Amino acid sequence: MINRDPSLHTTLLKALGEAALALCAEKSWADVGLLSLCQQAGQSLSACAEAGITRFSVVEYLDQMLDRAMLEASVYIEEEASTRDRLFDVLMARFDAMQDQRAAWVSILEADTQEPVAGFARAARRLRTAAWALEAVGISTDSLKAAARVLGLARRLRLAEALWLKDDADLSKTMAGLDQTLRESEDRLDCGDQFAEFLKSGSLRPKHPKAADGHSPEDPPR
């Protein structure tokens, strides 16, 4: 019986993932085919076909490894720190993991900008990463209110990735940019409430109750 769920073939994916990192350190991910991955990993195309593994499966596996490194590092973050500082540390742990294989990840990220389908897949993975990062600092992502936060953080992650691609070994540009964008987002945390209200009512305009004495109600504080 053929099982075409790639997630059930971790050993094969691990071998192909390591092959991808090795090859991408030397050439663009756009120029690495599944056959090249199999040859580098000492695996067969037939095994990939049986497992339902494609190039997208391999890069998905690698991206999940970055998320895992991020979540594993989150247990060492100080609980007394602010939510913003903890979120910063969680996301920087992911960039640190990318830095360990910098040449390969530069190749993969730059190739994603050149392939429309890969770019859409990358955007979807950023949403997953954003959701896990928020969960890691104690912010639930199971409500409508949280949807805007996930979307917003995914966008900020994309901006940080762009900085990382041009950064130096010390990641100073990435850290400064990520810190700045997270500070900016602190002032907009109420957008989650507005988004949820929009989905419920179809309008972002706040609804004020009629005043009993005939006077207009005061505007809520900003």
Side-chain angles (χ1 to χ4, degrees), residues 112 118-128 154 158:
D112 282 353
F120 284 123
R122 170 69 51 192
R125 286 193 289 272
R126 285 197 195 98
L127 290 173
R128 182 193 63 206
R158 178 180 63 80

Side-chain angles (χ1 to χ4, degrees), residues 23-44:
L23 291 174
C24 288
E26 302 174 354
K27 61 176 70 175
S28 170
W29 172 240
D31 297 328
V32 177
L34 189 58
L35 178 59
S36 298
L37 291 175
C38 289
Q39 292 172 338
Q40 178 74 18
Q43 303 293 330
S44 67

Side-chain angles (χ1 to χ4, degrees), residues 138-178:
I139 299 177
S140 175
T141 59
D142 293 334
S143 65
L144 287 176
K145 180 174 69 175
R149 292 180 178 177
V150 172
L151 289 169
L153 185 57
R155 173 180 173 275
R156 296 176 191 283
L157 180 59
R158 178 180 63 80
L159 296 175
E161 283 179 357
L163 290 173
W164 180 83
L165 286 171
K166 302 176 181 179
D167 209 348
D168 301 318
D170 62 0
L171 298 186
S172 57
K173 296 177 183 177
T174 304
M175 289 190 288
L178 181 61

